[in-house]
Amino acid sequence: RKEVEQDPGPFNVPEGATVAFNCTYSNSASQSFFWYRQDCRKEPKLLMSVYSSGNEDGRFTAQLNRASQYISLLIRDSKLSDSATYLCVVLNYGGSQGNLIFGKGTKLSVKP
Amino acid sequence: EAGVAQSPRYKIIEKRQSVAFWCNPISGHATLYWYQQILGQGPKLLIQFQNNGVVDDSQLPKDRFSAERLKGVDSTLKIQPAKLEDSAVYLCASSLEADSPLHFGNGTRLTVT
């Protein structure tokens, strides 16, 4: 089983749609979780951290289920500018240092 | 705040040649990372530095890849000799501490022919 697995893309949705991405991780001791966004031919950028209680930032909601080792990202009222690849990232600790593991990413394409 | 600087942006070399990439992290960031991102995949960690010490190089192909961060600031990543499968984007990232969010540079797109 891969350390971080994401929904295979691409997701093609119309403007205004609600879309959800899922991510599972294999290491039950994983400490922290993030969603990064990567535009075509650009570097990844932090979208949001994922907290145990769930967190929301405008149209974006992230959820964490530690028991199921599952993370989700919900995008409401999607915009054309949301088109990008969304990377699920998990922080594992080995010894005293953290190690960030990236998923392969899920590509989102929002159409007019 | 100036971001992570990388150079060059693009590099095309033939297999068996050597290549070097440079990275200048955000000022004050102790942790520096080199990632390899092959098309269609997520970034894969090659090496992680804490100041000028290596804390994780378990996925670095040490027979051909090397990296250093001599003064705990700038870093270079070298490939010698390059193989076709090294074609990828090489991303440098830095963070304040090991568990802080990463800030990525623009990356170097390497094509090995």
Side-chain angles (χ1 to χ4, degrees):
Chain A
R1 182 182 175 187
K2 292 184 181 170
E3 289 193 78
V4 179
E5 291 198 75
Q6 296 187 237
D7 277 352
F11 283 58
N12 297 307
V13 303
E15 264 187 299
T18 295
V19 60
F21 304 136
N22 303 318
C23 173
T24 57
Y25 59 96
S26 60
N27 187 344
S28 59
S30 294
Q31 299 282 333
S32 303
F33 310 90
F34 309 91
W35 284 101
Y36 277 72
R37 170 194 167 128
Q38 187 171 26
D39 291 288
C40 189
R41 293 184 166 265
K42 299 282 190 179
E43 73 277 18
K45 291 186 178 177
L46 179 66
L47 178 65
M48 57 197 303
S49 301
V50 186
Y51 303 123
S52 297
S53 54
N55 49 300
E56 189 174 305
D57 182 3
R59 298 181 293 107
F60 298 82
T61 301
Q63 297 270 343
L64 168 63
N65 184 323
R66 284 191 184 271
S68 301
Q69 295 178 206
Y70 171 95
I71 307 155
S72 66
L73 176 68
L74 183 78
I75 306 176
R76 290 182 299 279
D77 187 25
S78 51
K79 313 289 185 192
L80 296 177
S81 56
D82 294 334
S83 297
T85 296
Y86 291 83
L87 298 160
C88 174
V89 185
V90 171
L91 176 66
N92 296 333
Y93 273 97
S96 62
Q97 295 297 332
N99 187 358
L100 282 166
I101 309 294
F102 283 76
K104 283 190 174 183
T106 302
K107 187 173 180 179
L108 171 67
S109 182
V110 182
K111 306 291 187 185
Chain B
E1 167 181 87
V4 176
Q6 285 189 249
S7 67
R9 283 298 310 273
Y10 305 93
K11 191 74 178 177
I12 301 174
I13 61 172
E14 295 181 352
K15 60 184 179 185
R16 291 188 288 273
Q17 286 187 321
S18 303
V19 65
F21 312 130
W22 173 83
C23 173
N24 187 357
I26 292 173
S27 177
H29 281 197
T31 311
L32 184 147
Y33 311 77
W34 283 102
Y35 282 87
Q36 179 193 59
Q37 187 171 23
I38 292 171
L39 189 63
Q41 310 241 343
K44 182 185 99 171
L45 180 69
L46 293 175
I47 189 166
Q48 177 181 343
F49 292 94
Q50 183 72 15
N51 296 309
N52 61 346
V54 175
V55 297
D56 186 351
D57 63 356
S58 55
Q59 296 195 84
L60 188 72
K62 297 180 187 64
D63 57 334
R64 298 183 301 105
F65 286 65
S66 64
E68 58 185 13
R69 194 185 183 198
L70 290 175
K71 296 181 180 177
V73 181
D74 293 9
S75 176
T76 55
L77 175 70
K78 295 179 182 176
I79 307 175
Q80 180 180 9
K83 293 186 175 181
L84 295 176
E85 60 261 35
D86 299 332
S87 293
V89 176
Y90 290 84
L91 293 160
C92 179
S94 69
S95 63
L96 266 176
E97 299 166 351
D99 56 356
S100 303
L102 299 186
H103 298 263
F104 284 89
N106 290 330
T108 296
R109 186 173 298 274
L110 174 67
T111 302
V112 182
T113 62

PDB file of all heavy atoms in Angstrom, chain A residues 34 91-93 96-100, chain B residues 29-33 35 48-50 55 94-102:
ATOM      1  N   PHE A  34      -1.738  18.193   5.188  1.00  0.00           N
ATOM      2  CA  PHE A  34      -1.862  19.434   4.433  1.00  0.00           C
ATOM      3  C   PHE A  34      -2.464  19.154   3.054  1.00  0.00           C
ATOM      4  O   PHE A  34      -2.330  18.048   2.522  1.00  0.00           O
ATOM      5  CB  PHE A  34      -0.482  20.080   4.216  1.00  0.00           C
ATOM      6  CG  PHE A  34       0.326  20.237   5.469  1.00  0.00           C
ATOM      7  CD1 PHE A  34       1.208  19.239   5.875  1.00  0.00           C
ATOM      8  CD2 PHE A  34       0.230  21.377   6.246  1.00  0.00           C
ATOM      9  CE1 PHE A  34       1.968  19.365   7.020  1.00  0.00           C
ATOM     10  CE2 PHE A  34       0.987  21.525   7.399  1.00  0.00           C
ATOM     11  CZ  PHE A  34       1.858  20.519   7.791  1.00  0.00           C
ATOM     12  N   LEU A  91       2.709  14.430   7.076  1.00  0.00           N
ATOM     13  CA  LEU A  91       3.983  14.575   7.790  1.00  0.00           C
ATOM     14  C   LEU A  91       4.175  13.399   8.729  1.00  0.00           C
ATOM     15  O   LEU A  91       3.371  13.175   9.635  1.00  0.00           O
ATOM     16  CB  LEU A  91       3.987  15.882   8.585  1.00  0.00           C
ATOM     17  CG  LEU A  91       5.213  16.143   9.469  1.00  0.00           C
ATOM     18  CD1 LEU A  91       6.455  16.320   8.631  1.00  0.00           C
ATOM     19  CD2 LEU A  91       4.986  17.364  10.356  1.00  0.00           C
ATOM     20  N   ASN A  92       5.237  12.641   8.484  1.00  0.00           N
ATOM     21  CA  ASN A  92       5.597  11.537   9.377  1.00  0.00           C
ATOM     22  C   ASN A  92       6.864  11.880  10.118  1.00  0.00           C
ATOM     23  O   ASN A  92       7.735  12.559   9.576  1.00  0.00           O
ATOM     24  CB  ASN A  92       5.828  10.249   8.566  1.00  0.00           C
ATOM     25  CG  ASN A  92       4.581   9.778   7.871  1.00  0.00           C
ATOM     26  OD1 ASN A  92       3.475  10.053   8.327  1.00  0.00           O
ATOM     27  ND2 ASN A  92       4.734   9.068   6.774  1.00  0.00           N
ATOM     28  N   TYR A  93       6.973  11.401  11.331  1.00  0.00           N
ATOM     29  CA  TYR A  93       8.190  11.624  12.096  1.00  0.00           C
ATOM     30  C   TYR A  93       8.993  10.346  12.177  1.00  0.00           C
ATOM     31  O   TYR A  93       8.473   9.290  12.517  1.00  0.00           O
ATOM     32  CB  TYR A  93       7.887  12.124  13.503  1.00  0.00           C
ATOM     33  CG  TYR A  93       7.757  13.623  13.564  1.00  0.00           C
ATOM     34  CD1 TYR A  93       6.497  14.210  13.519  1.00  0.00           C
ATOM     35  CD2 TYR A  93       8.866  14.441  13.612  1.00  0.00           C
ATOM     36  CE1 TYR A  93       6.367  15.582  13.557  1.00  0.00           C
ATOM     37  CE2 TYR A  93       8.753  15.825  13.636  1.00  0.00           C
ATOM     38  CZ  TYR A  93       7.494  16.395  13.611  1.00  0.00           C
ATOM     39  OH  TYR A  93       7.361  17.743  13.636  1.00  0.00           O
ATOM     40  N   SER A  96      13.978  12.367  15.105  1.00  0.00           N
ATOM     41  CA  SER A  96      13.646  13.725  15.539  1.00  0.00           C
ATOM     42  C   SER A  96      13.183  14.615  14.399  1.00  0.00           C
ATOM     43  O   SER A  96      12.858  15.779  14.605  1.00  0.00           O
ATOM     44  CB  SER A  96      14.866  14.356  16.209  1.00  0.00           C
ATOM     45  OG  SER A  96      15.923  14.433  15.267  1.00  0.00           O
ATOM     46  N   GLN A  97      13.152  14.102  13.188  1.00  0.00           N
ATOM     47  CA  GLN A  97      12.857  14.945  12.040  1.00  0.00           C
ATOM     48  C   GLN A  97      11.567  14.524  11.364  1.00  0.00           C
ATOM     49  O   GLN A  97      11.229  13.347  11.303  1.00  0.00           O
ATOM     50  CB  GLN A  97      14.012  14.885  11.040  1.00  0.00           C
ATOM     51  CG  GLN A  97      15.306  15.461  11.569  1.00  0.00           C
ATOM     52  CD  GLN A  97      15.203  16.931  11.895  1.00  0.00           C
ATOM     53  OE1 GLN A  97      14.416  17.661  11.311  1.00  0.00           O
ATOM     54  NE2 GLN A  97      16.000  17.385  12.852  1.00  0.00           N
ATOM     55  N   GLY A  98      10.864  15.537  10.842  1.00  0.00           N
ATOM     56  CA  GLY A  98       9.658  15.270  10.082  1.00  0.00           C
ATOM     57  C   GLY A  98       9.987  14.979   8.635  1.00  0.00           C
ATOM     58  O   GLY A  98      10.981  15.463   8.099  1.00  0.00           O
ATOM     59  N   ASN A  99       9.137  14.192   8.000  1.00  0.00           N
ATOM     60  CA  ASN A  99       9.317  13.812   6.608  1.00  0.00           C
ATOM     61  C   ASN A  99       7.985  13.988   5.904  1.00  0.00           C
ATOM     62  O   ASN A  99       7.002  13.318   6.249  1.00  0.00           O
ATOM     63  CB  ASN A  99       9.790  12.363   6.547  1.00  0.00           C
ATOM     64  CG  ASN A  99      10.154  11.946   5.134  1.00  0.00           C
ATOM     65  OD1 ASN A  99      10.030  12.717   4.196  1.00  0.00           O
ATOM     66  ND2 ASN A  99      10.590  10.708   4.987  1.00  0.00           N
ATOM     67  N   LEU A 100       7.921  14.913   4.967  1.00  0.00           N
ATOM     68  CA  LEU A 100       6.681  15.184   4.248  1.00  0.00           C
ATOM     69  C   LEU A 100       6.543  14.246   3.059  1.00  0.00           C
ATOM     70  O   LEU A 100       7.438  14.179   2.216  1.00  0.00           O
ATOM     71  CB  LEU A 100       6.660  16.630   3.767  1.00  0.00           C
ATOM     72  CG  LEU A 100       6.324  17.674   4.822  1.00  0.00           C
ATOM     73  CD1 LEU A 100       6.669  19.057   4.313  1.00  0.00           C
ATOM     74  CD2 LEU A 100       4.856  17.621   5.199  1.00  0.00           C
TER      75      LEU A 100
ATOM     76  N   HIS B  29      15.285  30.361   7.078  1.00  0.00           N
ATOM     77  CA  HIS B  29      14.725  29.004   7.055  1.00  0.00           C
ATOM     78  C   HIS B  29      15.839  27.987   7.279  1.00  0.00           C
ATOM     79  O   HIS B  29      16.764  27.887   6.490  1.00  0.00           O
ATOM     80  CB  HIS B  29      14.017  28.730   5.728  1.00  0.00           C
ATOM     81  CG  HIS B  29      12.652  29.328   5.666  1.00  0.00           C
ATOM     82  ND1 HIS B  29      11.706  28.933   4.733  1.00  0.00           N
ATOM     83  CD2 HIS B  29      12.057  30.265   6.432  1.00  0.00           C
ATOM     84  CE1 HIS B  29      10.593  29.626   4.923  1.00  0.00           C
ATOM     85  NE2 HIS B  29      10.789  30.443   5.948  1.00  0.00           N
ATOM     86  N   ALA B  30      15.692  27.208   8.359  1.00  0.00           N
ATOM     87  CA  ALA B  30      16.747  26.265   8.723  1.00  0.00           C
ATOM     88  C   ALA B  30      16.689  24.985   7.889  1.00  0.00           C
ATOM     89  O   ALA B  30      17.699  24.336   7.672  1.00  0.00           O
ATOM     90  CB  ALA B  30      16.632  25.918  10.209  1.00  0.00           C
ATOM     91  N   THR B  31      15.483  24.635   7.459  1.00  0.00           N
ATOM     92  CA  THR B  31      15.317  23.355   6.776  1.00  0.00           C
ATOM     93  C   THR B  31      15.213  23.579   5.272  1.00  0.00           C
ATOM     94  O   THR B  31      14.464  24.433   4.806  1.00  0.00           O
ATOM     95  CB  THR B  31      14.058  22.630   7.290  1.00  0.00           C
ATOM     96  OG1 THR B  31      14.079  22.643   8.715  1.00  0.00           O
ATOM     97  CG2 THR B  31      14.033  21.190   6.815  1.00  0.00           C
ATOM     98  N   LEU B  32      15.971  22.801   4.530  1.00  0.00           N
ATOM     99  CA  LEU B  32      15.985  22.898   3.063  1.00  0.00           C
ATOM    100  C   LEU B  32      15.801  21.507   2.492  1.00  0.00           C
ATOM    101  O   LEU B  32      16.358  20.525   2.990  1.00  0.00           O
ATOM    102  CB  LEU B  32      17.302  23.504   2.571  1.00  0.00           C
ATOM    103  CG  LEU B  32      17.447  23.762   1.070  1.00  0.00           C
ATOM    104  CD1 LEU B  32      18.298  24.997   0.834  1.00  0.00           C
ATOM    105  CD2 LEU B  32      17.986  22.566   0.313  1.00  0.00           C
ATOM    106  N   TYR B  33      14.998  21.421   1.438  1.00  0.00           N
ATOM    107  CA  TYR B  33      14.659  20.152   0.809  1.00  0.00           C
ATOM    108  C   TYR B  33      14.918  20.226  -0.691  1.00  0.00           C
ATOM    109  O   TYR B  33      14.704  21.265  -1.313  1.00  0.00           O
ATOM    110  CB  TYR B  33      13.158  19.843   0.966  1.00  0.00           C
ATOM    111  CG  TYR B  33      12.583  19.988   2.351  1.00  0.00           C
ATOM    112  CD1 TYR B  33      12.292  21.244   2.885  1.00  0.00           C
ATOM    113  CD2 TYR B  33      12.269  18.863   3.116  1.00  0.00           C
ATOM    114  CE1 TYR B  33      11.725  21.371   4.141  1.00  0.00           C
ATOM    115  CE2 TYR B  33      11.695  18.987   4.368  1.00  0.00           C
ATOM    116  CZ  TYR B  33      11.427  20.250   4.870  1.00  0.00           C
ATOM    117  OH  TYR B  33      10.861  20.375   6.114  1.00  0.00           O
ATOM    118  N   TYR B  35      13.393  18.109  -3.922  1.00  0.00           N
ATOM    119  CA  TYR B  35      12.411  17.135  -4.378  1.00  0.00           C
ATOM    120  C   TYR B  35      12.586  16.908  -5.874  1.00  0.00           C
ATOM    121  O   TYR B  35      12.964  17.813  -6.629  1.00  0.00           O
ATOM    122  CB  TYR B  35      10.975  17.640  -4.150  1.00  0.00           C
ATOM    123  CG  TYR B  35      10.481  17.533  -2.735  1.00  0.00           C
ATOM    124  CD1 TYR B  35      10.731  18.549  -1.806  1.00  0.00           C
ATOM    125  CD2 TYR B  35       9.737  16.434  -2.317  1.00  0.00           C
ATOM    126  CE1 TYR B  35      10.257  18.445  -0.503  1.00  0.00           C
ATOM    127  CE2 TYR B  35       9.262  16.333  -1.018  1.00  0.00           C
ATOM    128  CZ  TYR B  35       9.525  17.346  -0.124  1.00  0.00           C
ATOM    129  OH  TYR B  35       9.055  17.252   1.173  1.00  0.00           O
ATOM    130  N   GLN B  48      16.980  16.098   2.644  1.00  0.00           N
ATOM    131  CA  GLN B  48      16.528  17.140   3.564  1.00  0.00           C
ATOM    132  C   GLN B  48      17.706  17.564   4.424  1.00  0.00           C
ATOM    133  O   GLN B  48      18.397  16.722   5.005  1.00  0.00           O
ATOM    134  CB  GLN B  48      15.395  16.615   4.445  1.00  0.00           C
ATOM    135  CG  GLN B  48      14.888  17.595   5.482  1.00  0.00           C
ATOM    136  CD  GLN B  48      13.775  17.022   6.348  1.00  0.00           C
ATOM    137  OE1 GLN B  48      13.150  16.017   5.995  1.00  0.00           O
ATOM    138  NE2 GLN B  48      13.508  17.646   7.473  1.00  0.00           N
ATOM    139  N   PHE B  49      17.932  18.878   4.481  1.00  0.00           N
ATOM    140  CA  PHE B  49      18.985  19.445   5.326  1.00  0.00           C
ATOM    141  C   PHE B  49      18.350  20.196   6.500  1.00  0.00           C
ATOM    142  O   PHE B  49      17.331  20.853   6.356  1.00  0.00           O
ATOM    143  CB  PHE B  49      19.817  20.478   4.555  1.00  0.00           C
ATOM    144  CG  PHE B  49      20.668  19.919   3.455  1.00  0.00           C
ATOM    145  CD1 PHE B  49      20.211  19.877   2.145  1.00  0.00           C
ATOM    146  CD2 PHE B  49      21.950  19.453   3.723  1.00  0.00           C
ATOM    147  CE1 PHE B  49      20.999  19.384   1.128  1.00  0.00           C
ATOM    148  CE2 PHE B  49      22.758  18.955   2.707  1.00  0.00           C
ATOM    149  CZ  PHE B  49      22.272  18.926   1.398  1.00  0.00           C
ATOM    150  N   GLN B  50      18.989  20.101   7.649  1.00  0.00           N
ATOM    151  CA  GLN B  50      18.666  20.967   8.773  1.00  0.00           C
ATOM    152  C   GLN B  50      19.934  21.768   9.015  1.00  0.00           C
ATOM    153  O   GLN B  50      20.952  21.214   9.429  1.00  0.00           O
ATOM    154  CB  GLN B  50      18.288  20.137  10.015  1.00  0.00           C
ATOM    155  CG  GLN B  50      17.873  20.959  11.213  1.00  0.00           C
ATOM    156  CD  GLN B  50      16.525  21.615  11.069  1.00  0.00           C
ATOM    157  OE1 GLN B  50      15.746  21.263  10.190  1.00  0.00           O
ATOM    158  NE2 GLN B  50      16.232  22.573  11.922  1.00  0.00           N
ATOM    159  N   VAL B  55      19.625  15.363   7.196  1.00  0.00           N
ATOM    160  CA  VAL B  55      18.794  14.615   8.133  1.00  0.00           C
ATOM    161  C   VAL B  55      18.066  13.454   7.464  1.00  0.00           C
ATOM    162  O   VAL B  55      17.593  12.555   8.137  1.00  0.00           O
ATOM    163  CB  VAL B  55      17.796  15.519   8.876  1.00  0.00           C
ATOM    164  CG1 VAL B  55      18.524  16.525   9.729  1.00  0.00           C
ATOM    165  CG2 VAL B  55      16.859  16.220   7.921  1.00  0.00           C
ATOM    166  N   SER B  94      12.010  25.297   1.276  1.00  0.00           N
ATOM    167  CA  SER B  94      12.562  25.574   2.597  1.00  0.00           C
ATOM    168  C   SER B  94      11.429  25.792   3.582  1.00  0.00           C
ATOM    169  O   SER B  94      10.293  26.086   3.194  1.00  0.00           O
ATOM    170  CB  SER B  94      13.496  26.792   2.571  1.00  0.00           C
ATOM    171  OG  SER B  94      12.781  27.999   2.353  1.00  0.00           O
ATOM    172  N   SER B  95      11.742  25.613   4.851  1.00  0.00           N
ATOM    173  CA  SER B  95      10.767  25.860   5.904  1.00  0.00           C
ATOM    174  C   SER B  95      11.508  26.352   7.140  1.00  0.00           C
ATOM    175  O   SER B  95      12.694  26.083   7.307  1.00  0.00           O
ATOM    176  CB  SER B  95       9.958  24.598   6.214  1.00  0.00           C
ATOM    177  OG  SER B  95      10.781  23.569   6.698  1.00  0.00           O
ATOM    178  N   LEU B  96      10.770  27.056   7.994  1.00  0.00           N
ATOM    179  CA  LEU B  96      11.371  27.578   9.223  1.00  0.00           C
ATOM    180  C   LEU B  96      11.936  26.448  10.072  1.00  0.00           C
ATOM    181  O   LEU B  96      13.042  26.521  10.574  1.00  0.00           O
ATOM    182  CB  LEU B  96      10.316  28.339  10.033  1.00  0.00           C
ATOM    183  CG  LEU B  96      10.225  29.847   9.820  1.00  0.00           C
ATOM    184  CD1 LEU B  96       9.075  30.417  10.628  1.00  0.00           C
ATOM    185  CD2 LEU B  96      11.530  30.531  10.187  1.00  0.00           C
ATOM    186  N   GLU B  97      11.090  25.427  10.232  1.00  0.00           N
ATOM    187  CA  GLU B  97      11.479  24.252  11.000  1.00  0.00           C
ATOM    188  C   GLU B  97      11.015  23.025  10.220  1.00  0.00           C
ATOM    189  O   GLU B  97      10.302  23.147   9.229  1.00  0.00           O
ATOM    190  CB  GLU B  97      10.837  24.266  12.390  1.00  0.00           C
ATOM    191  CG  GLU B  97      11.251  25.452  13.215  1.00  0.00           C
ATOM    192  CD  GLU B  97      10.359  25.633  14.434  1.00  0.00           C
ATOM    193  OE1 GLU B  97       9.328  24.954  14.541  1.00  0.00           O
ATOM    194  OE2 GLU B  97      10.701  26.471  15.279  1.00  0.00           O
ATOM    195  N   ALA B  98      11.402  21.858  10.713  1.00  0.00           N
ATOM    196  CA  ALA B  98      11.120  20.626   9.971  1.00  0.00           C
ATOM    197  C   ALA B  98       9.635  20.344   9.815  1.00  0.00           C
ATOM    198  O   ALA B  98       9.225  19.708   8.862  1.00  0.00           O
ATOM    199  CB  ALA B  98      11.803  19.441  10.646  1.00  0.00           C
ATOM    200  N   ASP B  99       8.798  20.816  10.731  1.00  0.00           N
ATOM    201  CA  ASP B  99       7.373  20.517  10.620  1.00  0.00           C
ATOM    202  C   ASP B  99       6.550  21.746  10.233  1.00  0.00           C
ATOM    203  O   ASP B  99       5.343  21.781  10.407  1.00  0.00           O
ATOM    204  CB  ASP B  99       6.850  19.911  11.919  1.00  0.00           C
ATOM    205  CG  ASP B  99       7.121  20.800  13.117  1.00  0.00           C
ATOM    206  OD1 ASP B  99       7.774  21.848  12.937  1.00  0.00           O
ATOM    207  OD2 ASP B  99       6.694  20.453  14.224  1.00  0.00           O
ATOM    208  N   SER B 100       7.190  22.754   9.684  1.00  0.00           N
ATOM    209  CA  SER B 100       6.498  23.947   9.213  1.00  0.00           C
ATOM    210  C   SER B 100       6.128  23.778   7.738  1.00  0.00           C
ATOM    211  O   SER B 100       6.736  22.969   7.038  1.00  0.00           O
ATOM    212  CB  SER B 100       7.404  25.181   9.354  1.00  0.00           C
ATOM    213  OG  SER B 100       7.838  25.352  10.673  1.00  0.00           O
ATOM    214  N   PRO B 101       5.131  24.536   7.261  1.00  0.00           N
ATOM    215  CA  PRO B 101       4.780  24.434   5.837  1.00  0.00           C
ATOM    216  C   PRO B 101       5.974  24.746   4.937  1.00  0.00           C
ATOM    217  O   PRO B 101       6.843  25.547   5.283  1.00  0.00           O
ATOM    218  CB  PRO B 101       3.694  25.496   5.685  1.00  0.00           C
ATOM    219  CG  PRO B 101       3.096  25.623   7.036  1.00  0.00           C
ATOM    220  CD  PRO B 101       4.219  25.416   7.997  1.00  0.00           C
ATOM    221  N   LEU B 102       5.988  24.106   3.787  1.00  0.00           N
ATOM    222  CA  LEU B 102       7.069  24.290   2.825  1.00  0.00           C
ATOM    223  C   LEU B 102       6.789  25.454   1.898  1.00  0.00           C
ATOM    224  O   LEU B 102       5.654  25.708   1.511  1.00  0.00           O
ATOM    225  CB  LEU B 102       7.220  23.038   1.963  1.00  0.00           C
ATOM    226  CG  LEU B 102       7.561  21.730   2.638  1.00  0.00           C
ATOM    227  CD1 LEU B 102       7.802  20.655   1.607  1.00  0.00           C
ATOM    228  CD2 LEU B 102       8.742  21.872   3.548  1.00  0.00           C
TER     229      LEU B 102
END
